[in-house]
Amino acid sequence: MAIGSKELTPAELDTFEDERLTDELRKAKEELFNLRFQAATGQLETHGRLRAVKRDIARIYTVIRERELGIRATPVPVEAPAKETRKSKKAKAAEEAAAADETKEA
């Protein structure tokens, strides 16, 4: 999350699943805590970051609440296709030879 929250736009938050939203919310709250701690000890250099993180938290809460009310659609979880394992050239050749032998015998 950069200053100005260019990373967490509402359009991008729409694509996040519920788990990722809660994870982003947890990260933002941790960051806000750290920023407040730095401000209290006089170590904070960018005070605008406090405001940006608060807005990010509000955006995330808004998206979560809109999904609860049915205003905003929850993205359908995309299942990753099963990865094909790479076989060595020798293994592929052996399989092709076995398949060829079976077709000759039949």
Side-chain angles (χ1 to χ4, degrees):
M1 291 181 272
I3 294 178
S5 319
K6 293 179 182 175
E7 290 183 13
L8 289 181
T9 61
E12 185 179 344
L13 289 174
D14 284 341
T15 62
F16 291 172
E17 294 180 11
D18 291 336
E19 287 181 15
R20 179 140 184 231
L21 272 178
T22 55
D23 188 46
E24 290 292 328
L25 180 63
R26 184 187 52 76
K27 287 178 187 176
K29 283 186 171 186
E30 283 179 16
E31 185 177 359
L32 182 62
F33 173 79
N34 291 332
L35 289 172
R36 284 182 174 161
F37 197 87
Q38 288 175 4
T41 58
Q43 297 174 352
L44 185 63
E45 294 179 9
T46 56
H47 295 281
R49 187 73 186 126
L50 276 169
R51 185 176 185 184
V53 172
K54 286 180 184 178
R55 286 184 178 188
D56 286 344
I57 291 171
R59 273 191 204 101
I60 294 170
Y61 273 131
T62 301
V63 170
I64 291 172
R65 183 64 179 150
E66 286 177 350
R67 286 184 183 177
E68 288 174 359
L69 296 175
I71 298 171
R72 196 179 291 242
T74 304
V76 178
V78 179
E79 294 182 16
K83 287 186 175 181
E84 293 184 20
T85 57
R86 290 187 178 180
K87 295 184 179 180
S88 65
K89 291 181 182 179
K90 291 180 183 178
K92 285 182 183 179
E95 284 183 5
E96 291 174 1
D101 290 339
E102 288 178 9
T103 55
K104 287 181 184 177
E105 291 177 4

